[in-house]
Amino acid sequence: MALHLGDTAPDFTQDSTEGTIHFHDWLGDGWGVLFSHPKDFTPVCTTELGEVSRLKGEFAKRNCKVIGLSVDPVSDHEAWAGDIEETQGHKLNFPLLGDADRKVANLYDMIHPNANDTLTVRSVFVIDPNRKVRLVITYPASTGRDFREILRVIDSLQLTDTHKVATPVNWKQGDDVIIVPSLSNDEAKKLFPNGWDEKKPYLRMVKQPGK
Ligand code: BEZ
């Protein structure tokens, strides 16, 4: 069954390029990104894994670990890693699950049979410290993802959790944000003592907290 936002991310134990992963233990008390790619030794996937390696520090700044997956065995991942470093200039620096038995792919509904009945699509799950699924994205095999967008969503989610603000269309770091509708004006006054720009009673813009 498909996972929905707010569901608990299923736990699993699976082999990886960094040894056996017990997923919930591996997540610890931080955030996590679990993403699948269709197949090792393929061009788009090669560029994606190089990019995620390049961005690992950005994920770490957000207290977020990253872990990849395909239904290839760990031995293939290990053989492919050299190509990723050679062609993308970044050494693979996060675990790749070897999900040859499709245990995790099935748990997370990463195989979409009408697209391809054996390979995983490009799924992304962002998981919060309570192990709840907070973002689900699915891309086709032929389209490489923009992982800066995943970072942007994590920033937005963390702002919501910490400061009770939502982020508007095309928001980027430093732009004004929106006081969540569930917060009354009386409650908002405590959190935003400098006030806000009330464009409509339901559209209350405020400077990004912490900026
Ligand atoms: C790729 O990563 O380039 C790819 C993988 C599977 C199907 C199509 C493209």
Side-chain angles (χ1 to χ4, degrees), residues 78-121:
E78 287 167 348
W80 181 37
D83 293 358
I84 295 168
E85 184 174 8
E86 180 191 328
T87 62
Q88 307 306 305
H90 297 283
K91 189 177 165 69
L92 190 68
N93 56 13
F94 60 92
L96 280 187
L97 296 164
D99 195 42
D101 61 4
R102 304 188 194 178
K103 186 197 313 181
V104 181
N106 287 333
L107 260 182
Y108 280 79
D109 194 31
M110 292 167 163
I111 296 176
H112 296 194
N114 291 324
N116 187 303
D117 59 4
T118 52
L119 304 179
T120 42
V121 291

Side-chain angles (χ1 to χ4, degrees), residues 51-174:
E51 176 66 356
V52 176
S53 296
R54 185 182 77 78
L55 290 174
K56 187 182 174 188
E58 290 298 321
F59 284 100
K61 276 185 207 165
R62 291 155 176 87
N63 190 27
C64 183
K65 293 177 168 180
V66 285
I67 187 162
L69 169 153
S70 75
V71 293
D72 301 292
V74 167
S75 56
D76 280 11
H77 294 336
E78 287 167 348
W80 181 37
D83 293 358
I84 295 168
E85 184 174 8
E86 180 191 328
T87 62
Q88 307 306 305
H90 297 283
K91 189 177 165 69
L92 190 68
N93 56 13
F94 60 92
L96 280 187
L97 296 164
D99 195 42
D101 61 4
R102 304 188 194 178
K103 186 197 313 181
V104 181
N106 287 333
L107 260 182
Y108 280 79
D109 194 31
M110 292 167 163
I111 296 176
H112 296 194
N114 291 324
N116 187 303
D117 59 4
T118 52
L119 304 179
T120 42
V121 291
R122 296 190 195 279
S123 299
V124 184
F125 297 89
V126 172
I127 298 158
D128 74 12
N130 296 317
R131 305 200 176 128
K132 299 295 181 199
V133 174
R134 299 291 294 276
L135 173 75
V136 178
I137 311 182
T138 307
Y139 271 53
S142 52
T143 305
R145 290 157 285 198
D146 186 338
F147 283 88
R148 295 167 301 183
E149 170 62 4
I150 312 302
L151 290 167
R152 194 185 74 93
V153 179
I154 294 168
D155 284 342
S156 173
L157 289 167
Q158 294 185 346
L159 275 171
T160 304
D161 288 0
T162 310
H163 297 291
K164 304 247 186 295
V165 292
T167 55
V169 61
N170 295 340
W171 173 84
K172 55 185 186 321
Q173 275 293 338

Side-chain angles (χ1 to χ4, degrees), residues 38 42-45 122 141-142:
T42 52
V44 177
C45 300
R122 296 190 195 279
S142 52

